[in-house]
Amino acid sequence: MPDTENKPRTGKKYDIPIPKPVSKASGAALRDESSQYGDEAEINVPRRKRTDARVPIIKNRKSAEAGAEKKPAAVVIPKVAPKKKKKKPRKKRRSYRSLFELMSATGSDGIFKPIRVFGREIRFWPLIVLAAVAFLAVGVMLNNSNLNITEQTVTVVGLPDDMEGYRIVVLSDMNARRFGDSQSLLLRTLNNVKYDAIFCLGDMVGKSGNAQPFWEFLEGLKNPEKVYFICGDSDPGPYISSARATEGVLSQLILEDWILGAMERGANFVDAPVCIQVKNANLWVSPATMLNLETSSTLQAWQDQTEQEEDGVRSGITEDYNHLPITTYRRRLAQQLYDAQRSMSASDIHISLAHEVPADAYIYTSEDHNPETERFLTSPELILAGHYCGGVWRIPALGAFYVPDNTLERGGWFPDQTRVSGLSTVGETQVYITRGMSTNGSVPLLPFRLFNPPEISVLTLTSTLPENMLEAE
């Protein structure tokens, strides 16, 4: 028989060595020892789920088959690498950049990209543009808050000796604007100027109707009675829609509140010719709207209108009752015009106040009248006007590119600069246009002045001819 005791047995299912059978004596001892813990079947041993990765691999099989006395080879269980968890992609941290970096066009992710000018790369151009805009804004603010004084000598042929060196301050287009608290800057500027009269050429209140800045100006003057003012195209009035139901003089019943307030503070409203006594000379100041009115026919027309409305009031017509005070007031203005035309002499000086610059044809018509045979005011030696505001926006070295006047060539676009501001001559009449103090209500797209500071004009009347007129040809 073959020696089966020394030869290791192998199992049928797995090719592994089977250990030698245990003797009866040792088996009994094992059973006695295990009986203390109960039957093996009673022990609940958890079963592992068998996987192919857990199949034992035997090393050194030859040495194991050499004899049953040798210990079985160690079973090596390969380590199974744990499944790697997929890492969630990290969110990119937002890189917060300063406004300087974003505006300087220095990075690839900046808002602005560098630009090339004449072959050179400019990275900081947004900051340059921003600085230029800020500089321009500051310049505009300072430009609009300063007051420039423009001196102009006006030669008037036949000027009386008593009026030699007569100085006139010309203001226009304040439009309810303040220059300092309670007009302190404006008043301080005028206190350093010697003047004999102040002419305000309209739009001192403007569309806002805020008369307080104009009243503050009058209240701060030492001699407000030297102020003569007219109504501009943007000012309210001069007449209210219906007469006030109060007692008082006729002007208090029909004139706008801002006009009455200025008159209460000492200023003179010029809606008819006014004579200013300058020692022994007479200076007539009139509204330019009366230059071409025939005094006799004008007075007769308003007298007829007044009588008609008086009859209507007696008949109980409400419309005539509401309108009669205004008609009566205008009849009085026609009477003042009629009296002034008969009182003017050839030696008197006539200055006409206009807000909008009169057309050349209008001025020529006033010159053609014959005071001896026709009942018109004498042609003025000087017409003062505003309204243009110097063009509001001016181009350096070129001047204004637009003024609101359809009577000019090209409808006011790119006008002759001598007709925008300053002194010019139309026929035998001199016209002075001041640049004013604010903006023009007719051009709302230009809300501020550019390269055009507010202007206070000071005119000096003289009979001496300018030096350029005395030069030999």
Side-chain angles (χ1 to χ4, degrees):
M1 290 182 67
D3 188 5
T4 58
E5 296 181 357
N6 298 328
K7 187 175 181 181
R9 291 181 296 175
T10 60
K12 293 181 181 180
K13 190 171 183 180
Y14 301 104
D15 190 11
I16 59 175
I18 301 175
K20 292 174 64 177
V22 181
S23 62
K24 292 181 178 180
S26 61
L30 290 173
R31 283 195 300 273
D32 293 340
E33 185 178 359
S34 62
S35 63
Q36 300 176 7
Y37 303 98
D39 190 4
E40 185 178 2
E42 297 176 358
I43 300 173
N44 187 12
V45 179
R47 298 180 63 187
R48 293 184 178 180
K49 185 176 180 181
R50 190 176 64 187
T51 60
D52 295 341
R54 294 289 182 176
V55 176
I57 300 173
I58 301 175
K59 292 185 178 181
N60 301 326
R61 181 175 296 177
K62 291 183 179 180
S63 60
E65 294 176 353
E69 297 295 334
K70 294 182 180 179
K71 294 181 179 180
V75 177
V76 180
I77 300 175
K79 294 182 179 180
V80 179
K83 293 184 178 180
K84 294 183 179 179
K85 294 182 180 180
K86 292 183 178 180
K87 293 183 179 180
K88 295 182 178 180
R90 292 183 178 180
K91 293 183 178 180
K92 293 183 178 180
R93 292 183 179 180
R94 291 183 179 179
S95 57
Y96 294 97
R97 308 183 67 189
S98 64
L99 181 63
F100 176 82
E101 293 175 321
L102 294 175
M103 293 293 294
S104 59
T106 56
S108 59
D109 57 344
I111 298 177
F112 303 96
K113 304 301 179 185
I115 60 174
R116 300 187 71 84
V117 179
F118 300 113
R120 298 186 63 181
E121 188 177 77
I122 300 178
R123 294 180 174 273
F124 293 89
W125 66 268
L127 294 179
I128 296 174
V129 173
L130 187 63
V133 171
F135 180 78
L136 181 62
V138 173
V140 168
M141 183 177 63
L142 294 176
N143 179 81
N144 283 256
S145 60
N146 291 332
L147 285 169
N148 280 9
I149 296 180
T150 301
E151 295 273 357
Q152 177 69 54
T153 300
V154 180
T155 300
V156 178
V157 178
L159 183 71
D161 293 338
D162 290 338
M163 291 191 64
E164 183 67 35
Y166 191 83
R167 289 170 65 83
I168 300 170
V169 171
V170 181
L171 303 178
S172 182
D173 299 275
M174 181 185 289
N175 283 310
R177 184 179 173 186
R178 285 185 173 90
F179 294 87
D181 295 336
S182 300
Q183 302 289 14
S184 58
L185 177 60
L186 175 58
L187 294 170
R188 186 166 60 249
T189 304
L190 288 179
N191 287 335
N192 295 325
V193 175
K194 180 182 177 182
Y195 60 87
D196 297 292
I198 298 177
F199 293 157
C200 299
L201 305 181
D203 280 2
M204 304 303 285
V205 174
K207 292 182 178 180
S208 66
N210 180 16
Q212 195 62 40
F214 184 45
W215 292 347
E216 292 172 356
F217 161 66
L218 296 176
E219 291 169 355
L221 291 173
K222 296 178 180 178
N223 300 304
E225 66 277 3
K226 293 184 177 181
V227 176
Y228 298 83
F229 70 99
I230 61 174
C231 189
D233 65 322
S234 296
D235 290 327
Y239 310 119
I240 58 178
S241 56
S242 60
R244 297 180 178 89
T246 59
E247 294 182 357
V249 297
L250 196 56
S251 60
Q252 293 175 335
L253 299 180
I254 65 167
L255 292 180
E256 284 282 353
D257 290 337
W258 73 271
I259 298 176
L260 294 177
M263 295 172 65
E264 291 172 0
R265 289 163 174 80
N268 303 278
F269 182 48
V270 182
D271 53 356
V274 177
C275 182
I276 302 175
Q277 195 76 26
V278 184
K279 297 180 180 179
N280 295 322
N282 292 328
L283 171 62
W284 286 92
V285 180
S286 70
T289 53
M290 288 188 169
L291 288 181
N292 289 329
L293 292 181
E294 205 281 330
T295 59
S296 298
S297 60
T298 301
L299 178 58
Q300 187 62 47
W302 285 112
Q303 286 178 344
D304 294 343
Q305 182 71 18
T306 303
E307 293 175 358
Q308 180 181 349
E309 291 182 0
E310 287 176 347
D311 293 339
V313 171
R314 286 190 287 267
S315 301
I317 300 176
T318 305
E319 185 178 354
D320 287 345
Y321 177 82
N322 293 331
H323 199 266
L324 179 60
I326 298 177
T327 304
T328 304
Y329 183 82
R330 301 192 72 170
R331 181 186 63 79
R332 290 187 180 181
L333 296 182
Q335 184 67 53
Q336 294 177 32
L337 172 65
Y338 181 85
D339 295 340
Q341 188 271 329
R342 281 157 177 75
S343 300
M344 284 184 176
S345 64
S347 60
D348 293 344
I349 301 300
H350 182 196
I351 297 179
S352 187
L353 308 184
H355 176 66
E356 300 182 49
V357 182
D360 291 356
Y362 185 85
I363 298 175
Y364 283 126
T365 301
S366 67
E367 291 180 353
D368 292 339
H369 299 311
N370 186 355
E372 296 180 357
T373 58
E374 299 175 317
R375 300 299 183 182
F376 291 90
L377 293 177
T378 59
S379 178
E381 283 78 16
L382 177 64
I383 295 178
L384 304 179
H387 185 60
Y388 289 165
C389 296
V392 185
W393 287 9
R394 297 179 64 86
I395 303 173
L398 296 179
F401 63 89
Y402 175 75
V403 292
D405 192 344
N406 293 327
T407 63
L408 298 178
E409 295 182 2
R410 297 176 294 277
W413 288 97
F414 304 103
D416 182 0
Q417 297 304 307
T418 60
R419 304 299 303 273
V420 173
S421 62
L423 188 65
S424 60
T425 302
V426 179
E428 297 180 357
T429 302
Q430 298 185 80
V431 180
Y432 183 83
I433 306 172
T434 181
R435 293 186 183 182
M437 306 170 67
S438 184
T439 57
N440 191 301
S442 302
V443 191
L445 296 178
L446 307 179
F448 57 88
R449 298 168 73 105
L450 185 64
F451 303 112
N452 183 21
E455 180 180 74
I456 298 175
S457 300
V458 180
L459 309 184
T460 302
L461 304 184
T462 181
S463 59
T464 305
L465 295 177
E467 293 182 0
N468 57 356
M469 295 183 64
L470 299 176
E471 294 176 356
E473 296 182 358

